Amino acid sequence: MKNKFLRYLLLLIYSVVLFTCAVQLNFLGLFGYSPTKRDIVMPTLNVASEVYTADSVLIGRYFEEDRDPVPYDSISSHIREALIATEDVRFYEHSGVDLMGLISGAVSTIKGDPRGASTITQQLAKNLYRTRYSHSQGYLSRIPGIRILVTKYKEWMTAFKLESKYSKNEIITMYLNTVSFSNNAYGIKSASLRYFNKMPSALDVNESALLIGMLKGTTIYNPIRNPKNAFQRRNVVLGQMQKAGYLSKEEMAAFATDSLKLNLDYQGTKDASDSYLRTAVERWLDKWSQDNEIDIYKSGLKIYTTIDSRMQKIAEEVVARKMEDLQRRLKNTWGSEEPWRDKEGKVIPDFLENHVRKLPVYPVLMKKYNGVEDSVFAELRVKKEMEVFTWDGMEKVNYSTMDSLKHYLMMLNTGMMAMDPYNGEIKVWIGGINHHYYKFDHVNQAKRQAGSTFKPFAYLAALESGMSPCDKYVDKPVRIEFVNKKGEHEVWEPKNADWTFSYREMSLRWAMARSLNSVTAQITEAIGWDKVVDAAYKCGIDSKLESVPSVGLGSNDVSVFEMVKAYGTFMNQGKRIEPILVSKILDMEGNVLAEFKAEEKQVVDPENAWLMTYMLRGTVEEPGGTSQALWEWDLFKGGNEIGGKTGTSSDYVDGWYIGLTKDLVAGVWVGCDEQSIHFKNSATGEGSKTALPIYALFMEELYKHPELGVTFGKFPESTVEIRKNYKCPSPRIEVQPDTTNVMDGIRLDSLRQRLPGLPQVRPVIVNPEQSEEKIEVLL
């Protein structure tokens, strides 16, 4: 081509085309990643996933970036106007790259007034595709000056692609859902809630100007950290809105004098991050997310749990109420004494010091004081003002670090779970008293000695060996000789909880109802302790169980989760059902990604399963049954039937109660995380005094709301013929109330009013020298 001008123009065009192709293809790795056509069609947003209860109450979120996109019509027009006026006043006039803006920006830079010329679309390209991140760069990025040229060019091309694919409204919506507003608020909805506790559709002019002003520098213009800077920057944005014609001079002047008016009461994210339930769902979904290669922190999922928010709320309120009482009781038990004791009841030396040595602060202080431990503990014993968690809320105290450690170690903790035994849906999950201070989940992470709640598995093994609930054993001393796994000869002589033996012949139902160690030990010896272990495994216990003579008395450690699942097998006609915590998962468009149903397997003969529910009712109905404290609550209207089992581990370290009704299986554990701290005696520390009241009050409150599906009624009838003998009423024993105690008379009168069938009793004068005569209402 002879025309020099055309020749150079054509060469320029060819060069641009070749350069564009080279950049798009990342030729020889020189230019780095460029967004593809598929990227433009499906732009990637790291969107938080949300967790809901079965009745659609939001209970938590998972996110790396706390982002919850909203549509165009859910964003205040003031936000859109502030953004356009400040960042890209010609937004509706260009096609992704503003050439006039580029020229104007270049001229201003030459004059010494540098200002950006990136359009909203270019900024969106940068935010969506991370064009300036190291992974997007090629070998040419190592040459000074070339990197920014290549990066800018890729942003221009990406901006043109976005403009060709999406409308202006879609682009501005994507932009506002993408940008960061500091304090882990990503996108306009998170920012609106975080700073003003309102949805983005409700933002006014000043609020909108403040948020858009932050985009120039989320740290320097952060209204929480730097309110003066944020105030000035907001007024700059107001000025830009006035220049663009969105505000009059009078309006701008009036708005500029207004305060920031932040509202930082929004607790959604904080609550979501501090939840046993949220963490439990996260663990529950771990395998599913790996198998399906889905990142729940970025995928914008809607995760529906089986939890009933109303039941959960009742349980949380009951736990808070009863645990406060129990904490006060534990504190009164020890008074000014040191509570950490060994098996002989002696104070454990250097208890707090040994705990301090496990804390992260210990090596730091040791380094500070050149390994002089006395200096470390001297600093840790210095008192200072601090806040500690109590059941009355956060309390300001003058504590040393050692005092604070003692306070938290002495806090009682709990775990509670309730499940529908027929479909496996978990309705209530309480992992502890406060997730912020006690991360360990006491439903399925903590494993504690089960105590007498384990005895039903021994009685199930007895039924499976051919026994019936009416078979008789004598409550008498037991001596079992055996060889342990080390080949050593041992002798085991279990005692009953009250250290006495009645020498009375009792049916299996009565003996289990009274939780007699002597009879349980005899049964275990007769059938073999391996059979007890097998019965527990079949029902749903997953923890490793030591097969020893004491296994039936609950010498092994198990979780609340396992115990509730295993007891559910009895109610479900012998079918073990795997509890489920998540029912379904939806993607961002509302499509169902996964649905979950509980798996079940017939593991126990239906006859024996039904007989076990009948025997568990015996703890309420039999003379001396360990669940008879339930009669103190309003639980037995309409012939309602409840079965259950208390449990107490050695030295009253753990208190348990597992309860059954026709609709629900629930389990409660109470104890200190530090097992050397516990109650002193059965009157204060056994399961019937700690865990049972939580279960009872929960059920009493639950029965007030029949719309939740848990109602009064009898246990289901057996679906199979019951061939074993089970109708063997235990002897009726007269009650011997202390007539010198007015309260005993009041309690009996109250019970007669609620239970018209309660027999009259013959008053017997109790020896006044007996200071703790146990009065039992035996029905």
Side-chain angles (χ1 to χ4, degrees), residues 479-547:
R479 177 185 173 89
I480 298 177
E481 298 185 20
F482 67 103
V483 177
N484 63 27
K485 289 188 175 180
K486 296 180 181 179
E488 301 168 338
H489 183 267
E490 286 191 39
V491 176
W492 181 51
E493 298 182 79
K495 302 292 188 292
N496 287 330
D498 59 3
W499 293 81
T500 64
F501 301 98
S502 67
Y503 295 91
R504 183 190 296 274
E505 190 176 60
M506 296 183 175
S507 69
L508 293 192
R509 187 183 195 239
W510 192 9
M512 193 181 89
R514 295 193 60 176
S515 198
L516 295 176
N517 293 341
S518 61
V519 175
T520 307
Q522 291 177 66
I523 292 171
T524 301
E525 184 180 30
I527 62 176
W529 32 91
D530 286 345
K531 295 288 183 65
V532 177
V533 171
D534 290 342
Y537 282 148
K538 281 195 300 185
C539 288
I541 301 299
D542 299 312
S543 297
K544 178 176 172 50
L545 302 175
E546 292 292 336
S547 184

Side-chain angles (χ1 to χ4, degrees), residues 82 204-214 234 237-238 241:
D204 62 25
V205 172
N206 261 340
E207 293 163 346
S208 301
L210 176 66
L211 293 181
I212 296 302
M214 289 179 66
R234 183 206 65 183
V237 174
L238 291 173
M241 293 177 73

Side-chain angles (χ1 to χ4, degrees), residues 292-505:
N292 293 275
E293 297 182 347
I294 293 177
D295 189 342
I296 63 173
Y297 289 87
K298 299 178 180 179
S299 302
L301 307 177
K302 297 288 187 290
I303 302 164
Y304 285 87
T305 69
T306 58
I307 297 294
D308 187 299
S309 67
R310 299 157 297 181
M311 287 191 193
Q312 181 77 12
K313 183 179 179 182
I314 290 171
E316 289 172 352
E317 291 174 349
V318 165
V319 164
R321 175 176 162 187
K322 299 306 294 184
M323 289 300 292
E324 182 178 4
D325 295 340
L326 292 172
Q327 189 65 50
R328 190 181 303 113
R329 184 195 301 173
L330 179 65
K331 184 177 180 180
N332 293 338
T333 294
W334 292 103
S336 59
E337 298 180 77
E338 301 290 13
W340 36 86
R341 306 294 173 118
D342 59 21
K343 292 294 183 181
E344 286 71 44
K346 297 178 182 178
V347 175
I348 300 173
D350 296 327
F351 177 81
L352 285 179
E353 289 78 4
N354 287 333
H355 272 276
V356 167
R357 292 183 182 107
K358 301 174 186 176
L359 297 177
V361 70
Y362 178 76
V364 175
L365 292 176
M366 285 292 283
K367 183 177 180 180
K368 175 182 176 182
Y369 290 107
N370 299 317
V372 180
E373 194 176 57
D374 288 345
S375 299
V376 171
F377 284 114
E379 177 171 330
L380 294 176
R381 291 189 178 97
V382 174
K383 294 187 181 294
K384 49 188 174 291
E385 282 194 4
M386 63 175 69
E387 286 190 336
V388 295
F389 165 72
T390 72
W391 283 108
D392 294 323
M394 297 305 295
E395 181 180 332
K396 288 186 177 181
V397 293
N398 189 34
Y399 275 2
S400 68
T401 302
M402 302 294 278
D403 295 331
S404 174
L405 179 61
K406 176 181 178 179
H407 171 81
Y408 284 109
L409 286 173
M410 277 202 67
M411 292 292 289
L412 280 170
N413 225 310
T414 189
M416 181 178 182
M417 172 180 155
M419 179 187 81
D420 184 320
Y422 310 113
N423 60 23
E425 293 184 354
I426 299 170
K427 298 299 182 184
V428 168
W429 185 295
I430 298 178
I433 57 174
N434 187 298
H435 189 260
H436 181 71
Y437 296 100
Y438 302 92
K439 300 295 184 187
F440 209 53
D441 193 310
H442 297 84
V443 171
N444 69 342
Q445 286 185 304
K447 295 187 178 184
R448 301 295 287 256
Q449 204 173 78
S452 295
T453 54
F454 207 84
K455 286 177 180 172
F457 305 122
Y459 286 87
L460 171 63
L463 295 181
E464 291 184 320
S465 71
M467 296 186 195
S468 78
C470 291
D471 284 356
K472 299 287 201 313
Y473 276 83
V474 176
D475 174 23
K476 64 181 181 181
V478 179
R479 177 185 173 89
I480 298 177
E481 298 185 20
F482 67 103
V483 177
N484 63 27
K485 289 188 175 180
K486 296 180 181 179
E488 301 168 338
H489 183 267
E490 286 191 39
V491 176
W492 181 51
E493 298 182 79
K495 302 292 188 292
N496 287 330
D498 59 3
W499 293 81
T500 64
F501 301 98
S502 67
Y503 295 91
R504 183 190 296 274
E505 190 176 60

Side-chain angles (χ1 to χ4, degrees), residues 15-21 23-24 31 34 97 122 147-160:
S15 298
V16 170
V17 171
L18 286 173
F19 183 69
T20 301
C21 292
V23 170
Q24 287 295 296
F31 303 96
S34 290
V97 177
Q122 287 175 247
R147 172 172 178 160
I148 189 62
L149 175 63
V150 173
T151 298
K152 272 290 185 182
Y153 194 71
K154 286 194 290 187
E155 287 177 6
W156 293 344
M157 289 189 296
T158 306
F160 280 123

